[in-house]
Structure formats: structure tokens, C-alpha cells
Amino acid sequence: MRLCRFSSVALGMQLTFSMKIVAILLTLSCGFLSAAPELRLSTASIGPVYIASGQNGSTQTVGVTNIGDGVLSLSASANVPWLTPSIGASNAVQIALATSTLASGQYTGIVTVQAPGAIDAPQNISVSVQIGSTIPNSLDLY
């Protein structure tokens, strides 16, 4: 987007009581106005993802869109060791689920997507997994 600004300066000279020469100088200064990038995620939560005990879950993908101007410079991090985020093709966030060592149960982690200088950044993606079945391994009948 181009932004231009006009300013004027009036110079005057008094010749007689009734005569005045006035010169108006117009200056035009132009510069470029650039808006910031704006981060938009396709979803803020994943799951629950059901995963068999002893297995890793399939990689999950979250789309990223820049709904502003400029360029997004993305990075991602996780708050738990079983989530491994990376930035993939076309700025999508790829989240690997390294769940093979987790015991049966439900787990939740957070992936934080950073985009320095972007509006609405950072943003979080909540990831929920269910390891093993929700059906108990055994029942005690009395």
C-alpha cells in the first residue's frame, strides 16, 4: 500500500501596502505503508486421537494462513515430550505423536505456534490423545 502526504509552505514578500507576492510550495512525500502479517490456524484443538498401547500416533496437520500482509515467519514448540511440532510445506504445522511409551490413559499437550511481528501470535493448539481402549482390561464380578 502506498501512502502519500501533502504539505505546503507559504512564502511571502511585501512590495507595497497593497501588493503582496505569495509563493506556495507544495511538497509531496510518499512512502510505503505495510501492514503486519496476521496468523490464523485452521483449528485450535486436535482430538481425542485414539491410539493403541505401545504405538505412535499418526502425524497431525494444522493449516496456517496469513490473513494480513507481509510474510509469516513460523516456529512451533510443545509443552510435553511426546508432541514434536515442525513447520511443513506451505507453512502447515505438522505434529508428530510419539506416544509409544505412554501408559494407557488420556493425555493432553499444548503446541504453541509463534510468528514474530504477526497480529494474533502466538497461538496454541490443544492436542488430546487416548492411549489404549476406554474399555477396562478386566472386570471383577461378585
Side-chain angles (χ1 to χ4, degrees):
M1 180 184 292
R2 194 167 198 136
L3 175 69
C4 295
R5 185 183 63 190
F6 289 97
S7 61
S8 64
V9 177
L11 301 174
M13 186 185 320
Q14 186 80 33
L15 295 178
T16 66
F17 289 117
S18 61
M19 217 186 254
K20 189 188 273 191
I21 297 175
V22 176
I24 298 176
L25 302 175
L26 292 176
T27 27
L28 174 65
S29 61
C30 292
F32 287 96
L33 175 69
S34 65
E38 188 170 346
L39 177 64
R40 187 64 36 109
L41 300 176
S42 62
T43 187
S45 64
I46 296 172
V49 177
Y50 294 93
I51 303 168
S53 292
Q55 302 294 311
N56 286 324
S58 60
T59 298
Q60 305 294 306
T61 301
V62 175
V64 177
T65 305
N66 179 4
I67 62 169
D69 292 328
V71 177
L72 285 174
S73 178
L74 297 173
S75 64
S77 60
N79 70 336
V80 292
W82 53 270
L83 291 176
T84 307
S86 62
I87 306 303
S90 66
N91 282 343
V93 178
Q94 305 288 324
I95 304 169
L97 305 178
T99 55
S100 62
T101 59
L102 296 178
S104 291
Q106 189 166 17
Y107 298 85
T108 300
I110 303 292
V111 171
T112 300
V113 180
Q114 302 274 354
I119 298 170
D120 289 342
Q123 289 188 27
N124 292 326
I125 304 166
S126 174
V127 181
S128 176
V129 296
Q130 173 66 49
I131 306 299
S133 175
T134 56
I135 300 171
N137 292 335
S138 63
L139 290 173
D140 292 327
L141 299 172
Y142 298 97

